[in-house]
Amino acid sequence: MTEQQKLTEIQIIATSCIERWGEDSKTQNFSGRLGRFVNQLGSNKELGKVFLDIVKYYNYYSRERLDQIMGEFYNVIVNELKLDENFTIYSRIEDDSKIDSSNFFLEEFKILNNISNHFSYDIEKLDIEDFDNIQNVIFIDDIIGSGKTVETFFKRNKKKLLKVNCFIFCIELLEEGKSHLEEFFEENDFKCEIVCHNLHKKVFSEDHIFRENFKENEMLLRDFERGLWRKKSKNILGYENSQAIVSFFRNTPNNTLSSFWFEDKKWRGLFPRDDRKPAFKKIKKNSVNYNIKKMENSVDG
């Protein structure tokens, strides 16, 4: 393939992507961005072809596109499920102490659909008695990969969630995650339904993006990502091999192939993750100074 042919292919792919996604600040001049992304590979044309084939199936969600989907979700709740709003609350699937993307999606959902704050709660902060007067819990999430985070959350709140009907609305859902969770819910007697905008396969699934050589292409990209990390990493081919190809306007989930969001001096992903952290998160918990200050504060208290 000549440079001119390569440029033309990139322009065609970029145009097709913008037609699917719409355009915002992160996708302006996408043809140029895609070209620079692939050109980082230099003479590695084989991997460059793999990247371009993947981008054809990539899902990017602008704020406008997400708002439209949030409206569609609410329409399902009101017009199809017809849940009694007096006995229905909205929540998120909590993972740790930080305010994460699930919190953003829940708040955005509430604002767009004019849902009062009086109808949203963190499950873990409610008493078991509260669930005597709750019939339905609706969880809003961005992406579910393996389903392990959801499983852990349901196990942790089992007594409460067994008393209600649960509904999980998410933008992206991995097929394996859906199967795993449906089996988990059934085995543990949870009444839970998952509604997703897009049910996706792993990138290197058979008869998906790569009809032929899917295993060879998987190894090719796996070896490349190992080179990026230069150490063992759970993020190779996406967190715990999730093999997703998804980005949202606020960030790219680590379920996505890491070569598309990894960034250092030698490589810049197509949709880099925003991994900036406040100072207190950068301090190593086992450092001498940190522990001394912690002891001093406890004494002062």
Side-chain angles (χ1 to χ4, degrees):
M1 181 185 294
T2 67
E3 284 301 314
Q4 184 59 43
Q5 288 173 321
K6 180 180 176 183
L7 180 62
T8 302
E9 184 183 13
I10 287 173
Q11 290 171 336
I12 292 171
I13 294 172
T15 300
S16 174
C17 287
I18 297 303
E19 287 175 352
R20 289 191 294 114
W21 305 337
E23 190 172 44
D24 65 5
S25 60
K26 285 195 173 182
T27 57
Q28 286 179 348
N29 187 27
F30 187 65
S31 178
R33 289 184 57 194
L34 180 57
R36 288 189 292 274
F37 173 64
V38 175
N39 285 338
Q40 294 177 106
L41 295 168
S43 60
N44 192 342
K45 295 180 180 179
E46 186 178 8
L47 187 55
K49 179 67 166 61
V50 170
F51 275 140
L52 290 178
D53 285 339
I54 290 172
V55 172
K56 294 174 186 176
Y57 291 81
Y58 204 97
N59 268 328
Y60 172 77
Y61 292 91
S62 64
R63 184 165 204 157
E64 182 179 358
R65 191 178 176 204
L66 282 173
D67 287 354
Q68 180 183 349
I69 295 168
M70 295 288 190
E72 293 170 358
F73 282 170
Y74 190 63
N75 183 60
V76 171
I77 293 167
V78 173
N79 297 317
E80 295 183 25
L81 297 177
K82 297 181 179 179
L83 305 179
D84 187 336
E85 66 175 6
N86 294 310
F87 296 93
T88 301
I89 64 170
Y90 297 82
S91 192
R92 64 190 178 98
I93 295 169
E94 301 160 71
D95 190 12
D96 55 27
S97 61
K98 71 176 183 295
I99 299 174
D100 58 10
S101 58
S102 294
N103 190 77
F104 165 77
F105 276 84
L106 175 60
E107 292 304 310
E108 188 82 351
F109 181 86
K110 287 159 51 184
I111 292 169
L112 285 168
N113 297 299
N114 196 28
I115 297 170
S116 168
N117 284 333
H118 294 299
F119 286 86
S120 69
Y121 297 88
D122 285 341
I123 298 302
E124 298 188 344
K125 293 179 181 177
L126 292 174
D127 295 325
I128 187 70
E129 292 78 18
D130 293 326
F131 287 80
D132 292 338
N133 292 296
I134 299 172
Q135 294 176 3
N136 312 296
V137 178
I138 296 173
F139 296 100
I140 308 297
D141 209 347
D142 53 354
I143 182 170
I144 296 176
S146 67
K148 290 180 181 178
T149 298
V150 177
E151 178 184 343
T152 300
F153 175 81
F154 270 72
K155 284 180 177 178
R156 198 165 62 235
N157 297 282
K158 185 170 184 176
K159 289 184 179 180
K160 296 175 181 178
L161 296 180
L162 280 174
K163 295 167 72 78
V164 297
N165 301 307
C166 297
F167 302 87
I168 301 174
F169 285 80
C170 64
I171 308 298
E172 289 274 343
L173 173 61
L174 177 65
E175 283 187 350
E176 284 91 335
K178 181 176 185 291
S179 299
H180 172 76
L181 286 175
E182 287 176 343
E183 183 177 333
F184 166 73
F185 292 146
E186 184 176 353
E187 289 177 350
N188 291 273
D189 297 321
F190 288 110
K191 298 184 290 292
C192 187
E193 180 180 345
I194 306 175
V195 179
C196 71
H197 170 72
N198 184 51
L199 181 65
H200 66 259
K201 297 176 180 286
K202 287 186 175 183
V203 169
F204 297 104
S205 295
E206 188 174 2
D207 294 326
H208 182 34
I209 296 175
F210 303 98
R211 302 293 178 181
E212 300 175 356
N213 303 324
F214 64 95
K215 280 294 182 186
E216 291 83 350
N217 288 332
E218 179 178 358
M219 286 304 303
L220 187 67
L221 187 56
R222 187 186 299 275
D223 289 342
F224 177 75
E225 293 196 355
R226 281 173 177 159
L228 289 179
W229 290 96
R230 296 191 295 276
K231 59 181 180 180
K232 287 185 177 180
S233 173
K234 289 185 176 181
N235 290 321
I236 292 171
L237 295 187
Y239 185 71
E240 293 192 339
N241 196 36
S242 296
Q243 295 189 24
I245 42 176
V246 179
S247 290
F248 300 101
F249 77 95
R250 281 175 61 85
N251 214 345
T252 299
N254 62 1
N255 307 76
T256 292
L257 300 173
S258 64
S259 45
F260 280 79
W261 53 263
F262 182 93
E263 185 175 18
D264 65 6
K265 293 179 180 179
K266 296 182 179 180
W267 183 261
R268 179 176 173 80
L270 189 61
F271 291 100
R273 274 174 64 83
D274 185 354
D275 278 329
R276 293 174 297 170
K277 292 180 175 64
F280 81 92
K281 292 293 287 184
K282 297 177 183 177
I283 298 174
K284 292 184 178 179
K285 301 296 184 180
N286 59 351
S287 70
V288 175
N289 290 335
Y290 177 86
N291 287 315
I292 289 175
K293 288 182 179 179
K294 190 173 181 181
M295 291 173 64
E296 290 174 347
N297 289 338
S298 64
V299 171
D300 291 342

